Amino acid sequence: MRGFIRLFACGALMSMAFASASAAADGKTHHIAVQVDQNDPQVMNLALNNVNAVIEYYRTKNEDVDIDVVAYGPGLHMLRADTSPVQDRIKRLKDMVFPGKIVFSACNNTKQGMEKAEGHAISILPDASVVPSGVVHLMELQERGWSYVRP
């Protein structure tokens, strides 16, 4: 009886190991949304450091990850063509990742508010896209199962 239990336990452990390897081989894609809502270069760089670390981690595991960096409120400066202190880093990240795996989303509500306050049109970085509302975009990503990070 003890031999049977030992054999059963060993078989169960091997099944779990194969299931884990199988899950990685199944092509599961991880999803992470990163919020930037501060006009602070340190916060922006921390967010990009987090993004880079996630990319590198899953690259070593041969697993895919989709990333959406969502900027709104004062954080929109991260994606403004005229004020972004990190636009070179954003371009490098976009260039190092397979197209579509990292997205930078700029809040249109914030953009319109800044345009009204400043009295002129605001250009967003070419590596970013505009979403109607940054907060709503984050909420909808989370509702679809995306993980959420705020540096």
Side-chain angles (χ1 to χ4, degrees):
M1 185 66 157
R2 278 187 160 160
F4 175 76
I5 292 172
R6 229 181 249 144
L7 182 62
F8 179 77
C10 184
L13 287 173
M14 288 179 64
S15 294
M16 288 181 355
F18 286 126
S20 296
S22 172
D26 284 345
K28 177 184 190 290
T29 300
H30 305 275
H31 306 278
I32 183 169
V34 180
Q35 170 184 324
V36 177
D37 64 353
Q38 297 176 54
N39 185 14
D40 180 343
Q42 286 183 303
V43 171
M44 294 173 192
N45 277 298
L46 178 58
L48 295 175
N49 291 345
N50 289 338
V51 165
N52 195 59
V54 167
I55 291 167
E56 292 303 321
Y57 177 81
Y58 285 113
R59 188 171 279 167
T60 64
K61 295 180 75 166
N62 274 339
E63 295 180 24
D64 286 334
V65 61
D66 291 333
I67 300 168
D68 195 335
V69 179
V70 183
Y72 65 89
L76 186 65
H77 286 280
M78 178 182 198
L79 302 179
R80 282 183 57 161
D82 61 340
T83 61
S84 176
V86 293
Q87 58 186 305
D88 292 339
R89 281 195 75 190
I90 289 170
K91 173 111 178 80
R92 282 194 308 271
L93 271 171
K94 288 282 281 194
D95 289 346
M96 79 178 255
V97 177
F98 191 77
K101 289 298 183 181
I102 184 167
V103 176
F104 292 88
S105 299
C107 175
N108 195 46
N109 286 341
T110 300
K111 181 179 177 287
Q112 289 177 341
M114 287 180 173
E115 289 174 337
K116 185 175 180 181
E118 296 176 27
H120 61 86
I122 292 172
S123 295
I124 299 300
L125 296 174
D127 292 310
S129 59
V130 177
V131 296
S133 167
V135 172
V136 171
H137 186 64
L138 280 170
M139 181 184 77
E140 290 175 347
L141 290 172
Q142 289 179 71
E143 288 173 348
R144 292 195 321 246
W146 285 54
S147 300
Y148 164 81
V149 172
R150 181 174 182 236

